[in-house]
Short mmCIF file of all heavy atoms in Angstrom, two decimals:
data_model
loop_
_atom_site.label_atom_id
_atom_site.label_comp_id
_atom_site.label_asym_id
_atom_site.label_seq_id
_atom_site.Cartn_x
_atom_site.Cartn_y
_atom_site.Cartn_z
N GLN A 176 67.59 -19.74 82.98
CA GLN A 176 67.41 -21.08 82.43
C GLN A 176 66.75 -21.03 81.06
O GLN A 176 67.08 -21.83 80.17
CB GLN A 176 66.57 -21.94 83.38
CG GLN A 176 67.29 -22.40 84.62
CD GLN A 176 66.51 -23.47 85.37
OE1 GLN A 176 66.23 -24.54 84.84
NE2 GLN A 176 66.16 -23.17 86.61
N THR A 177 65.81 -20.10 80.88
CA THR A 177 65.13 -19.99 79.59
C THR A 177 66.10 -19.57 78.50
O THR A 177 66.11 -20.13 77.40
CB THR A 177 63.97 -18.98 79.68
OG1 THR A 177 63.04 -19.43 80.67
CG2 THR A 177 63.25 -18.86 78.34
N LEU A 178 66.95 -18.59 78.80
CA LEU A 178 67.93 -18.13 77.81
C LEU A 178 68.91 -19.24 77.48
O LEU A 178 69.26 -19.44 76.29
CB LEU A 178 68.66 -16.90 78.33
CG LEU A 178 69.72 -16.30 77.38
CD1 LEU A 178 69.10 -15.90 76.05
CD2 LEU A 178 70.39 -15.10 78.03
N ALA A 179 69.34 -19.98 78.47
CA ALA A 179 70.27 -21.09 78.22
C ALA A 179 69.62 -22.15 77.32
O ALA A 179 70.26 -22.68 76.40
CB ALA A 179 70.70 -21.72 79.55
N TRP A 180 68.35 -22.44 77.57
CA TRP A 180 67.63 -23.42 76.75
C TRP A 180 67.47 -22.91 75.32
O TRP A 180 67.65 -23.66 74.36
CB TRP A 180 66.26 -23.72 77.37
CG TRP A 180 65.54 -24.85 76.69
CD1 TRP A 180 65.69 -26.18 76.95
CD2 TRP A 180 64.57 -24.76 75.64
NE1 TRP A 180 64.87 -26.93 76.14
CE2 TRP A 180 64.18 -26.08 75.32
CE3 TRP A 180 64.00 -23.69 74.95
CZ2 TRP A 180 63.23 -26.36 74.33
CZ3 TRP A 180 63.06 -23.96 73.96
CH2 TRP A 180 62.68 -25.28 73.66
N LEU A 181 67.17 -21.63 75.17
CA LEU A 181 67.01 -21.05 73.84
C LEU A 181 68.32 -21.06 73.06
O LEU A 181 68.33 -21.31 71.85
CB LEU A 181 66.47 -19.63 73.94
CG LEU A 181 65.01 -19.49 74.41
CD1 LEU A 181 64.67 -18.03 74.67
CD2 LEU A 181 64.05 -20.09 73.37
N LYS A 182 69.42 -20.81 73.73
CA LYS A 182 70.73 -20.85 73.06
C LYS A 182 71.05 -22.28 72.61
O LYS A 182 71.61 -22.48 71.52
CB LYS A 182 71.82 -20.32 73.98
CG LYS A 182 71.77 -18.80 74.17
CD LYS A 182 72.89 -18.31 75.10
CE LYS A 182 72.88 -16.79 75.21
NZ LYS A 182 73.94 -16.29 76.13
N SER A 183 70.68 -23.25 73.42
CA SER A 183 70.87 -24.65 73.03
C SER A 183 69.94 -25.00 71.87
O SER A 183 70.32 -25.77 70.98
CB SER A 183 70.60 -25.58 74.22
OG SER A 183 71.54 -25.35 75.25
N MET A 184 68.76 -24.43 71.88
CA MET A 184 67.84 -24.66 70.77
C MET A 184 68.41 -24.11 69.47
O MET A 184 68.31 -24.75 68.41
CB MET A 184 66.49 -24.00 71.07
CG MET A 184 65.50 -24.12 69.92
SD MET A 184 63.97 -23.22 70.22
CE MET A 184 63.21 -23.35 68.59
N LYS A 185 69.03 -22.96 69.55
CA LYS A 185 69.66 -22.37 68.36
C LYS A 185 70.70 -23.33 67.79
O LYS A 185 70.83 -23.47 66.56
CB LYS A 185 70.31 -21.03 68.74
CG LYS A 185 71.16 -20.40 67.64
CD LYS A 185 70.34 -20.00 66.44
CE LYS A 185 71.23 -19.29 65.40
NZ LYS A 185 70.47 -18.96 64.17
N ALA A 186 71.43 -24.01 68.66
CA ALA A 186 72.46 -24.94 68.22
C ALA A 186 71.88 -26.28 67.75
O ALA A 186 72.41 -26.90 66.83
CB ALA A 186 73.46 -25.18 69.35
N ASN A 187 70.78 -26.71 68.37
CA ASN A 187 70.28 -28.06 68.15
C ASN A 187 69.15 -28.18 67.15
O ASN A 187 69.05 -29.18 66.43
CB ASN A 187 69.79 -28.66 69.48
CG ASN A 187 70.91 -29.06 70.40
OD1 ASN A 187 72.08 -28.96 70.05
ND2 ASN A 187 70.56 -29.51 71.60
N ALA A 188 68.24 -27.21 67.13
CA ALA A 188 66.99 -27.37 66.41
C ALA A 188 67.08 -26.89 64.96
O ALA A 188 67.88 -26.03 64.62
CB ALA A 188 65.87 -26.62 67.13
N VAL A 189 66.20 -27.46 64.13
CA VAL A 189 66.02 -27.00 62.75
C VAL A 189 64.79 -26.10 62.75
O VAL A 189 63.72 -26.49 63.25
CB VAL A 189 65.81 -28.19 61.80
CG1 VAL A 189 65.65 -27.69 60.36
CG2 VAL A 189 66.97 -29.18 61.91
N ALA A 190 64.95 -24.90 62.24
CA ALA A 190 63.85 -23.93 62.25
C ALA A 190 62.99 -24.09 61.00
O ALA A 190 63.50 -24.21 59.88
CB ALA A 190 64.40 -22.51 62.32
N TYR A 191 61.67 -24.10 61.21
CA TYR A 191 60.70 -24.17 60.12
C TYR A 191 59.74 -23.00 60.23
O TYR A 191 59.67 -22.33 61.27
CB TYR A 191 59.93 -25.49 60.17
CG TYR A 191 60.79 -26.71 59.89
CD1 TYR A 191 61.44 -27.36 60.92
CD2 TYR A 191 60.94 -27.17 58.59
CE1 TYR A 191 62.24 -28.48 60.67
CE2 TYR A 191 61.74 -28.29 58.32
CZ TYR A 191 62.38 -28.93 59.36
OH TYR A 191 63.17 -30.02 59.11
N ARG A 192 59.00 -22.78 59.18
CA ARG A 192 58.00 -21.72 59.19
C ARG A 192 56.62 -22.33 59.36
O ARG A 192 56.02 -22.81 58.40
CB ARG A 192 58.07 -20.90 57.89
CG ARG A 192 57.19 -19.66 57.91
CD ARG A 192 57.40 -18.82 56.65
NE ARG A 192 56.58 -17.62 56.66
CZ ARG A 192 56.93 -16.48 57.24
NH1 ARG A 192 58.08 -16.39 57.87
NH2 ARG A 192 56.13 -15.44 57.21
N GLY A 193 56.16 -22.38 60.59
CA GLY A 193 54.84 -22.91 60.87
C GLY A 193 54.86 -24.32 61.42
O GLY A 193 55.73 -25.14 61.08
N ASN A 194 53.89 -24.61 62.28
CA ASN A 194 53.77 -25.94 62.88
C ASN A 194 53.50 -27.02 61.84
O ASN A 194 53.96 -28.15 61.97
CB ASN A 194 52.64 -25.95 63.91
CG ASN A 194 53.03 -25.28 65.20
OD1 ASN A 194 53.58 -25.90 66.10
ND2 ASN A 194 52.73 -24.00 65.32
N GLY A 195 52.74 -26.65 60.80
CA GLY A 195 52.46 -27.61 59.73
C GLY A 195 53.71 -28.06 59.02
O GLY A 195 53.86 -29.24 58.66
N ALA A 196 54.65 -27.15 58.83
CA ALA A 196 55.92 -27.49 58.19
C ALA A 196 56.75 -28.41 59.07
O ALA A 196 57.44 -29.32 58.58
CB ALA A 196 56.70 -26.22 57.86
N VAL A 197 56.70 -28.19 60.38
CA VAL A 197 57.40 -29.08 61.32
C VAL A 197 56.82 -30.48 61.23
O VAL A 197 57.55 -31.48 61.13
CB VAL A 197 57.29 -28.55 62.77
CG1 VAL A 197 57.94 -29.53 63.74
CG2 VAL A 197 57.92 -27.18 62.90
N LEU A 198 55.49 -30.58 61.22
CA LEU A 198 54.82 -31.88 61.13
C LEU A 198 55.22 -32.62 59.85
O LEU A 198 55.53 -33.82 59.88
CB LEU A 198 53.30 -31.69 61.20
CG LEU A 198 52.43 -32.94 61.05
CD1 LEU A 198 52.72 -33.92 62.19
CD2 LEU A 198 50.95 -32.56 61.04
N LYS A 199 55.22 -31.91 58.73
CA LYS A 199 55.60 -32.53 57.46
C LYS A 199 57.03 -33.03 57.48
O LYS A 199 57.34 -34.12 56.97
CB LYS A 199 55.43 -31.52 56.32
CG LYS A 199 53.99 -31.20 55.96
CD LYS A 199 53.94 -30.20 54.81
CE LYS A 199 52.51 -29.84 54.45
NZ LYS A 199 52.45 -28.87 53.33
N ALA A 200 57.94 -32.25 58.08
CA ALA A 200 59.34 -32.64 58.14
C ALA A 200 59.54 -33.90 58.98
O ALA A 200 60.33 -34.78 58.62
CB ALA A 200 60.18 -31.49 58.70
N VAL A 201 58.82 -33.98 60.10
CA VAL A 201 58.90 -35.18 60.94
C VAL A 201 58.33 -36.37 60.19
O VAL A 201 58.91 -37.47 60.18
CB VAL A 201 58.15 -34.96 62.27
CG1 VAL A 201 58.15 -36.25 63.09
CG2 VAL A 201 58.78 -33.82 63.07
N ASN A 202 57.21 -36.19 59.53
CA ASN A 202 56.57 -37.27 58.79
C ASN A 202 57.47 -37.80 57.69
O ASN A 202 57.52 -39.01 57.42
CB ASN A 202 55.26 -36.78 58.20
CG ASN A 202 54.41 -37.90 57.63
OD1 ASN A 202 53.93 -38.76 58.36
ND2 ASN A 202 54.23 -37.90 56.32
N ALA A 203 58.21 -36.88 57.04
CA ALA A 203 59.10 -37.27 55.94
C ALA A 203 60.42 -37.84 56.43
O ALA A 203 61.24 -38.29 55.62
CB ALA A 203 59.36 -36.05 55.05
N GLY A 204 60.67 -37.80 57.74
CA GLY A 204 61.91 -38.33 58.28
C GLY A 204 63.09 -37.39 58.18
O GLY A 204 64.23 -37.78 58.41
N GLN A 205 62.82 -36.12 57.88
CA GLN A 205 63.90 -35.14 57.80
C GLN A 205 64.49 -34.86 59.18
O GLN A 205 65.67 -34.54 59.32
CB GLN A 205 63.38 -33.85 57.17
CG GLN A 205 62.92 -34.00 55.73
CD GLN A 205 62.23 -32.76 55.19
OE1 GLN A 205 62.25 -31.71 55.84
NE2 GLN A 205 61.60 -32.87 54.04
N ILE A 206 63.65 -34.94 60.20
CA ILE A 206 64.06 -34.81 61.59
C ILE A 206 63.33 -35.88 62.39
O ILE A 206 62.31 -36.42 61.93
CB ILE A 206 63.74 -33.40 62.17
CG1 ILE A 206 62.29 -32.99 61.84
CG2 ILE A 206 64.73 -32.37 61.69
CD1 ILE A 206 61.87 -31.66 62.43
#
Side-chain angles (χ1 to χ4, degrees):
Q176 286 192 60
T177 300
L178 181 58
W180 188 85
L181 290 172
K182 287 180 177 179
S183 297
M184 177 185 171
K185 172 65 176 176
N187 286 357
V189 181
Y191 293 90
R192 188 175 181 85
N194 284 272
V197 177
L198 177 62
K199 288 181 181 180
V201 176
N202 190 66
Q205 296 172 10
I206 48 177

